[in-house]
Amino acid sequence: MEPAALASALSDVLADALGPVTVEGLRRLSGGASRETWSFDGRMPDATVVPLVLQRERPGAVRPGGGMATEAALLRAAARAGVPVAGLVASGADAEPLGAPFLVLERLAGETIARKILRDPQYEPARAVLAEQCGRALAAVHAIPVDAVAGLEEQDQLGQYRAVLDALGAPHPAFELAFRWLEANRPPSHRTTVVHGDFRIGNLVVGPEGLRAVLDWELAHVGDPVEDLGWLCVRAWRFGGPGRVGGFGSLEALLGSYEAASGVAVDPEVVRWWETLGTLKWGIMCIMQANAHLTGLSRSVELAAIGRRVCENEHDLVLLLP
């Protein structure tokens, strides 16, 4: 869909939520392997301007779960649970009228680019408190009632990615070693909650004072909440920063604030197991995203480049495995 046609269709979609509105400044943003993101302003008849973001699924995107309808319901439930999220304005689970399933969200001020959050002087105050804020935010995520959102799948992450790698038919000895260790050392699961599934720097809106919003709920599911804590520790999501947690903080700060907010103490060794599984998962996801490009499902230089990162995860797994 051409930008002019997309802007016109957006105006029609937003009429129910906002009333008559003119879409202005529509522009495609970079990033996002499974969806397109567009920034725009909605101008009301009284000249009020509402800053908004459109997200549309890309053709051939690989995404488990219940789709945009589930994600929209999850965003509402997350807001009720006290998770900082962008307000949902409109959504659609079908290709019509915007050419693909979509979400329209409030556009929040703040930064998502990791190198800026981890290095720019203006975010130094945020870096000092971000691990604690993430702990509190994850406690709120895991407090969302499991039955509050229809369509969330309960997933055995280890079995799921074992099947995915087998289906891809790509031999990776380091991944096989990781599977063997993970299967032999799987910790017992004591809780089942909503899991964000991709809670990491890059999917967080950050201001100089710290966390403002949690983005990108497309991988949310039901499972062990320690998955989210381990995922935040995966080396790929540190972006060169020194802190084990997202490059910005310590595991002690994350788990301390999580326990204070949730009342649940988490064993650091269990976090390490999930960190190892997260590293393995990301490596397999890199193969999947490259495969989407190579098979022609979604031609993208970004997807092709992600495929070249498989070896980084193999190296990280070698460092993590005892």
Side-chain angles (χ1 to χ4, degrees):
M1 184 179 291
E2 294 297 320
L6 180 58
S8 177
L10 265 175
S11 294
D12 294 338
V13 163
L14 293 172
D16 289 340
L18 300 177
V21 59
T22 302
V23 171
E24 298 179 344
L26 183 67
R27 64 186 181 92
R28 176 86 174 267
L29 303 179
S30 60
S34 64
R35 57 179 58 182
E36 301 173 356
T37 302
W38 300 73
S39 172
F40 68 98
D41 292 327
R43 184 173 293 275
M44 313 299 289
D46 63 358
T48 300
V49 174
V50 183
L52 298 167
V53 167
L54 164 69
Q55 293 191 318
R56 294 195 306 172
E57 285 192 2
R58 282 183 175 177
V62 178
R63 55 164 297 164
M68 289 291 193
T70 297
E71 189 170 346
L74 186 57
L75 282 166
R76 296 187 184 99
R80 292 194 296 270
V83 185
V85 292
L88 177 68
V89 177
S91 65
D94 302 317
E96 296 297 333
L98 300 185
F102 69 92
L103 299 172
V104 178
L105 304 160
E106 296 175 350
R107 189 173 77 243
L108 301 177
E111 187 57 75
T112 60
I113 298 174
R115 62 177 174 80
K116 295 184 177 181
I117 296 169
L118 294 175
R119 294 169 177 78
D120 284 6
Q122 72 186 91
Y123 297 105
E124 185 174 356
R127 293 191 288 271
V129 298
L130 202 48
E132 290 90 344
Q133 292 174 335
C134 286
R136 290 192 292 272
L138 281 173
V141 171
H142 301 154
I144 298 170
V146 171
D147 58 358
V149 181
L152 290 180
E153 300 176 354
E154 186 166 359
Q155 299 175 356
D156 173 10
Q157 295 282 293
L158 192 57
Q160 176 187 352
Y161 282 90
R162 172 77 273 177
V164 169
L165 184 62
D166 288 347
L168 289 168
H172 291 274
F175 291 173
E176 297 300 333
L177 285 171
F179 272 118
R180 188 172 300 178
W181 182 84
L182 289 162
E183 288 163 356
N185 294 277
R186 186 197 290 253
S189 180
H190 301 293
R191 300 168 66 208
T192 299
T193 70
V194 172
V195 175
H196 180 277
D198 201 13
F199 191 100
R200 60 177 177 83
I201 196 167
N203 288 339
L204 308 176
V205 179
V206 177
E209 79 291 350
L211 180 63
R212 291 181 176 174
V214 180
L215 306 178
D216 291 352
W217 294 72
E218 60 191 284
L219 297 181
H221 56 274
V222 173
D224 190 319
V226 187
E227 177 189 336
D228 277 333
L229 296 162
W231 185 249
L232 184 56
C233 295
V234 168
R235 185 179 294 272
W237 312 133
R238 301 177 199 171
F239 296 94
R244 181 177 173 187
V245 175
F248 51 75
S250 69
L251 184 62
E252 293 76 15
L254 175 70
L255 298 187
S257 66
Y258 183 85
E259 180 177 357
S262 68
V264 178
V266 178
D267 184 344
E269 288 304 310
V270 177
V271 176
R272 183 181 180 84
W273 189 91
W274 282 102
E275 179 184 349
T276 304
L277 177 55
T279 304
L280 174 63
K281 282 169 49 181
W282 175 232
I284 295 172
M285 288 177 183
C286 289
I287 302 173
M288 294 167 63
Q289 294 188 18
N291 195 55
H293 167 75
L294 293 170
T295 59
L297 284 174
S298 182
R299 290 291 187 184
S300 164
V301 172
E302 180 182 9
L303 294 178
I306 287 173
R308 295 179 62 86
R309 301 193 62 187
V310 174
C311 58
E312 295 177 8
N313 293 281
E314 292 174 317
H315 176 263
D316 291 343
L317 282 169
V318 170
L319 296 179
L320 279 167
L321 293 173

